[in-house]
Amino acid sequence: MKTFPFTKPQLEAVAERYPTPFYIYDESAIRLNAQSIKAAFSQVPAFVQHFAVKALPNPAILRILASEGFGADCSSLAELILAERAGIRGEQAMFTSNETPAAEYVAARKLGAIINLDDESHIDFLEEHAGIPEIVSCRYNPGPLKTGNSIIGTPLEAKYGFTHDQLIQGLVRLRDKGARRFAVHTMVASNELRLDYHIETARLLFTLAAEIKEKTGIRLEFVNLGGGIGIPYRPDQQAVDYEQLAAGIRNAYDTIIVPEGLDPLGIHTEWGRVITGPYGWLVARAIHHKNIFRRYIGLDACMADLMRPGLYGAYHHITIAGKEDAPQTEVYDLVGSLCENNDKFAIQRNLPVIERGDFVIIHDAGAHGRAMGFNYNGKLRCGELLLRQDGSVVQIRRPETVEDYFATLVDIG
Ligand SMILES: *Cc1c(COP(=O)(O)O)cnc(C)c1O
């Protein structure tokens, strides 16, 4: 069952102050979810979850997550600054980037973030531009050892990370250059709901940690399992059970890490989607009907606000405010106004009768939603609202204006 925290009359009151389209996030639900992750993962040692900022890059959200004890995972200068502004300091931030400009390594070091190198050649590059920090992490690409999945692709074709041998040699070189604390990271899944897949990733890193100790004497401080926990976008899918996931990881830890004498080894994650995805909605209104070879409902939001359906053919569940229990007698394509025929939020979807002015609720838009927006066709991205724990609604990002759109142009007459 997909939920939405407002009745239609409540939503009407919100929309009077903040016209559609807008994103809205539910603070209480985000906090409850964070707390259940923390509770489940209290059974693994030194658990740190760094929220992947790219999923929902808004300081108001980062501050909520920081107050629940989460850090940040940043991949660019702007994301480092966002995390810093939200009070996420020092090693609470990981800097997992690739093809990294020198200035971003300098900024990451200045902020004291844990730098996660993407390639062996970045060891010298980092030394040259920012110096070798005391703590450093390396990203592992397991190549043929992991199958990957459809969004992230197979590791053999992925641009990320060190190969196995490069990683072992890289850690030794980092130690020679003065690094004293070490970590290994991998990210081999995206939107993956299978529990076993994630437990297998932990096992892979634990085995590697043991091998690194044996071959180099380097004892890792932590392993970082990356992001990639899926969410049930479709109503018939099941969420990942945090207790089972933590228990599976703990079990792998007990069978691999403990007998090697490597306990305690910290376990870090950089989940994005599962942290905020289900607790954000894109709210639009139906503004047009069109009946040709198919029946279309035109919305006041478009792919510039949410590109996942157009980009990946991703499914987002859709409900109509006030018609949650109405019979789904109609078949529609729900479309935005871009001059691109893939600007469709739903294709041939069974829905109740939609009237002009109806609120169209697009679910599971709290991660990789507004963040992936763009300005093609001169479209202005919508704003973001937060439903606070006390029931009030505040704006945490205003909608873009035409002035924003023109702000970067240089008039040469
Ligand atoms: C995208 C990304 C994440 C977050 O992924 P989710 O699927 O949102 O959990 C974490 N780490 C890295 C390096 C990423 O690129």
Side-chain angles (χ1 to χ4, degrees), residues 16-258:
E16 250 168 55
R17 278 167 65 208
Y18 305 109
T20 58
F22 53 76
Y23 276 86
I24 188 155
Y25 311 111
D26 182 343
E27 177 176 0
S28 300
I30 290 172
R31 285 188 185 277
L32 278 175
N33 180 55
Q35 287 157 11
S36 63
I37 289 173
K38 274 187 301 180
F41 280 82
S42 61
Q43 58 181 306
V44 305
F47 176 70
V48 182
Q49 147 63 16
H50 305 270
F51 176 62
V53 173
K54 73 174 187 214
L56 180 40
N58 190 305
I61 302 295
L62 298 180
R63 241 174 258 124
I64 291 169
L65 294 171
S67 79
E68 294 295 341
F70 287 4
D73 170 48
C74 307
S75 60
S76 64
L77 179 61
E79 289 184 359
L80 282 165
I81 296 170
L82 276 171
E84 220 242 338
R85 286 206 187 155
I88 297 170
R89 299 267 144 77
E91 294 181 9
Q92 284 294 105
M94 286 283 300
F95 184 57
T96 298
S97 58
N98 64 91
E99 313 316 327
T100 314
E104 301 200 357
Y105 276 136
V106 173
R109 268 220 77 182
K110 207 149 108 206
L111 292 170
I114 300 174
I115 291 173
N116 187 22
L117 297 175
D118 187 67
D119 186 62
E120 60 171 359
S121 67
H122 286 223
I123 296 172
D124 290 337
F125 188 80
L126 178 67
E127 183 178 38
E128 181 186 340
H129 295 283
I132 299 292
E134 178 192 82
I135 182 164
V136 66
S137 173
C138 295
R139 180 170 185 163
Y140 174 45
N141 181 330
L145 297 180
K146 210 58 191 170
T147 49
N149 72 8
S150 65
I151 292 189
I152 204 159
T154 148
L156 278 172
E157 293 168 6
K159 66 174 177 167
Y160 308 111
F162 294 58
T163 65
H164 173 274
D165 294 357
Q166 288 174 344
L167 185 88
I168 302 222
Q169 287 156 17
L171 289 169
V172 171
R173 285 188 56 224
L174 283 161
R175 180 178 57 192
D176 292 346
K177 289 178 183 294
R180 287 293 165 262
R181 298 160 59 208
F182 304 90
V184 170
H185 162 281
T186 199
M187 165 127 182
V188 284
S190 184
N191 193 28
E192 178 59 66
L193 285 165
R194 285 171 297 169
L195 203 64
D196 289 353
Y197 190 92
H198 297 292
I199 295 168
E200 184 53 41
T201 301
R203 193 171 291 128
L204 187 86
L205 286 184
F206 294 157
T207 307
L208 183 62
E211 187 193 347
I212 289 167
K213 179 71 174 59
E214 193 190 304
K215 290 203 170 137
T216 70
I218 291 172
R219 183 168 172 172
L220 299 182
E221 184 165 313
F222 67 86
V223 293
N224 184 333
L225 309 179
I229 305 280
I231 59 172
Y233 285 102
R234 292 177 183 271
D236 60 352
Q237 289 176 319
Q238 285 293 316
V240 168
D241 183 313
Y242 300 137
E243 288 289 339
Q244 284 179 24
L245 178 61
I249 292 173
R250 176 78 226 191
N251 180 46
Y253 186 92
D254 288 339
T255 51
I256 303 167
I257 293 300
V258 174

